[in-house]
Amino acid sequence: MRSILVTGAAGFIGSNFVRMLVNRAEPVKLVAFDKLTYAGNLANLDDLLKKDKHLVFVKGDICDQSTLERVWDEHGITEVVHFAAESHVDRSIISSGPFIHTNVVGTQVLLDVARAKKVDKFLQVSTDEVYGTLPYDQKEVMFTETTPLEPNSPYSASKAAGDCLVRSYFHTHHMPVLTTRCSNNYGPYHFPEKLIPLFVTNLMEGKKVPLYGDGLNIRDWLYVEDHCDAIWTVLNKGRFGEVYNIGGNNEITNRVITETILREMNCPWDQHVTYVQDRAGHDRRYAIDASKIKNELGWTPKHRFETAIKTTIQWYRDHEAWWRNVKSGEYLKYYETQYVNR
Ligand code: NAD
Ligand code: TYD
């Protein structure tokens, strides 16, 4: 049986990926591996761990070689899907150290263990942010897999460094690697420091939503289940050494995202939106050309933004205990640093 090490499995996308494979009853063993940083939450996997005997959880750090080796041998790991990362741009602006440690050094340690253990497949989950920013008024220009890497934040720089290491292990060591680069995700279990869950939960708490700069920055939004399905497709059908862009063909400004959420939650703009100082180095526009994964592997997104955003908002209404628990403790200190006096 395939035995897949899923790093960062207690985070937003990792837990959705595990959930998808368990729900589909894919015939694989899953080892959910996570350090449980502020962003990792075992509550994201609890119900799955209770019901599926092919899923196990191991608390561990990808920077820790000996733990990885032990887990490898104990569970007969054959493949890796590498989600684990520090993932929030604003935190990388406050302090970049943890980003270099996990996203660069951690990826190198994981690659070395995987290489020594002769892994069958190693999939690096990356981001469109490694390509930098796009011109605002040339809508035909999008990120392709050959767009040069021009990361603009410490987060995207650390992800680009991880991607380069993965690439180098293919060329130098002939390791069976795959890389995916996806646009912005939204959906259940999204940590409420990112735009959509922050705004939805702030409104549920009766707080204002902080829109950076002029609110006209553009992201391409993809429902998390579509991303997970794309990763599974690449893991099973992708060509080693290749990069696959994943996107929703769904460019939206932050203002329109905000209007959509406010409308859905019956909150008038004037009472609930506050413009705050822009993010330093704020990338203006991301847009993905996902034709390679479509033409080569047959993947396209299945969810439409108009309905999936409603499902997402409803999920936060139905899981108030989950996000209230997350929005406490360390989160409050971060919120102060990030938003007060901005
Ligand atoms: P997340 O912050 O919600 O989850 C990251 C997980 O990694 C957490 O559970 C955390 O505990 C774990 N982790 C962090 N450092 C670790 C370490 N040293 N060892 C083991 N585990 C560690 O992030 P996410 O949004 O789920 O993103 C997952 C991956 O997908 C990241 O690599 C990110 O770069 C990439 N990605 C995210 C998006 C997005 O929109 N969220 C888009 C494209 C790509
Ligand atoms: P975010 O969810 O942090 O994702 P990323 O920076 O990785 O794209 O932010 C999405 C967009 O929303 C980005 O243009 C920054 C903006 N934004 C705000 O306007 N206010 C906020 O409080 C946050 C967190 C983000």
Side-chain angles (χ1 to χ4, degrees):
M1 194 187 225
R2 292 163 74 182
S3 178
I4 306 177
L5 181 74
V6 184
T7 71
F12 165 45
I13 308 175
S15 66
N16 274 283
F17 180 73
V18 168
R19 187 167 294 278
M20 180 189 79
L21 296 188
V22 168
N23 288 343
R24 288 183 182 178
E26 291 289 351
V28 292
K29 179 172 176 180
L30 294 168
V31 180
F33 186 88
D34 202 293
K35 185 179 171 183
L36 299 180
T37 67
Y38 78 92
N41 187 349
L42 257 189
N44 300 357
L45 296 172
D46 254 354
D47 57 321
L48 303 173
L49 287 163
K50 280 182 197 130
K51 81 172 183 204
D52 193 321
K53 65 177 184 341
H54 295 304
L55 170 66
V56 293
F57 177 77
V58 179
K59 183 171 191 278
D61 187 334
I62 55 163
C63 301
D64 176 356
Q65 184 182 330
S66 58
T67 301
L68 285 173
E69 286 168 346
R70 181 177 52 73
V71 170
W72 220 279
D73 295 342
E74 202 172 309
H75 297 286
I77 301 298
T78 57
E79 296 166 46
V80 177
V81 182
H82 179 30
F83 291 96
E86 289 294 335
S87 68
H88 191 35
V89 173
D90 291 321
R91 287 187 190 252
S92 81
I93 295 168
I94 295 169
S95 168
S96 61
F99 288 74
I100 303 307
H101 193 59
T102 286
N103 303 358
V104 187
V105 178
T107 300
Q108 170 255 312
V109 173
L110 188 62
L111 280 166
D112 279 338
V113 174
R115 177 173 168 246
K117 300 286 183 188
K118 302 198 170 15
V119 74
D120 289 343
K121 288 181 187 183
F122 183 109
L123 190 149
Q124 159 84 346
V125 180
S126 192
T127 164
D128 60 354
E129 303 192 24
V130 297
Y131 297 123
T133 190
L134 286 167
Y136 204 75
D137 46 6
Q138 289 171 261
K139 289 291 179 252
E140 70 289 357
V141 184
M142 295 177 155
F143 297 135
T144 71
E145 289 79 1
T146 55
T147 301
L149 302 190
E150 290 178 346
N152 290 323
S153 73
Y155 161 65
S156 54
S158 68
K159 289 296 291 185
D163 289 12
C164 289
L165 280 170
V166 170
R167 176 190 157 89
S168 77
Y169 277 57
F170 174 74
H171 284 273
T172 305
H173 301 302
H174 311 293
M175 248 182 85
V177 303
L178 300 150
T179 299
T180 57
R181 295 194 180 126
C182 189
S183 58
N184 285 57
N185 286 209
Y186 64 99
Y189 302 100
H190 203 179
F191 195 88
E193 63 187 353
K194 308 280 169 67
L195 178 76
I196 289 179
L198 177 72
F199 281 21
V200 170
T201 57
N202 269 15
L203 292 173
M204 287 174 75
E205 290 178 296
K207 287 189 191 150
K208 291 197 168 191
V209 298
L211 201 47
Y212 294 166
D214 60 7
L216 291 178
N217 298 63
I218 291 174
R219 300 289 181 263
D220 172 60
W221 293 94
L222 182 71
Y223 193 55
V224 64
E225 278 178 23
D226 281 324
H227 184 194
C228 294
D229 185 53
I231 290 170
W232 187 236
T233 303
V234 172
L235 188 69
N236 289 309
K237 302 205 267 180
R239 284 182 296 134
F240 292 141
E242 293 292 316
V243 173
Y244 294 92
N245 282 354
I246 303 168
N249 197 14
N250 192 32
E251 286 182 58
I252 314 181
T253 63
N254 295 336
R255 255 200 234 178
V256 170
I257 293 277
T258 307
E259 278 163 11
T260 308
I261 295 172
L262 289 172
R263 197 179 326 113
E264 195 52 33
M265 300 185 71
N266 285 321
C267 297
W269 180 281
D270 293 347
Q271 288 167 32
H272 290 94
V273 179
T274 171
Y275 282 96
V276 298
Q277 191 190 329
D278 206 357
R279 171 186 280 173
H282 196 175
D283 284 337
R284 197 64 173 155
R285 174 177 166 244
Y286 301 147
I288 282 269
D289 177 344
S291 48
K292 179 174 173 181
I293 187 170
K294 180 180 176 198
N295 297 337
E296 217 179 90
L297 309 182
W299 176 88
T300 49
K302 293 189 180 66
H303 293 87
R304 285 168 49 80
F305 181 78
E306 293 70 20
T307 42
I309 188 67
K310 291 183 184 171
T311 312
T312 302
I313 293 172
Q314 191 57 43
W315 188 88
Y316 284 89
R317 287 193 179 114
D318 295 341
H319 293 79
E320 203 166 325
W322 180 89
W323 62 259
R324 283 203 186 272
N325 177 47
V326 169
K327 278 185 133 180
S328 61
E330 194 272 354
Y331 180 92
L332 295 174
K333 275 188 243 147
Y334 162 73
Y335 201 82
E336 284 270 305
T337 315
Q338 177 62 19
Y339 293 103
V340 174
N341 301 327
R342 208 159 169 184

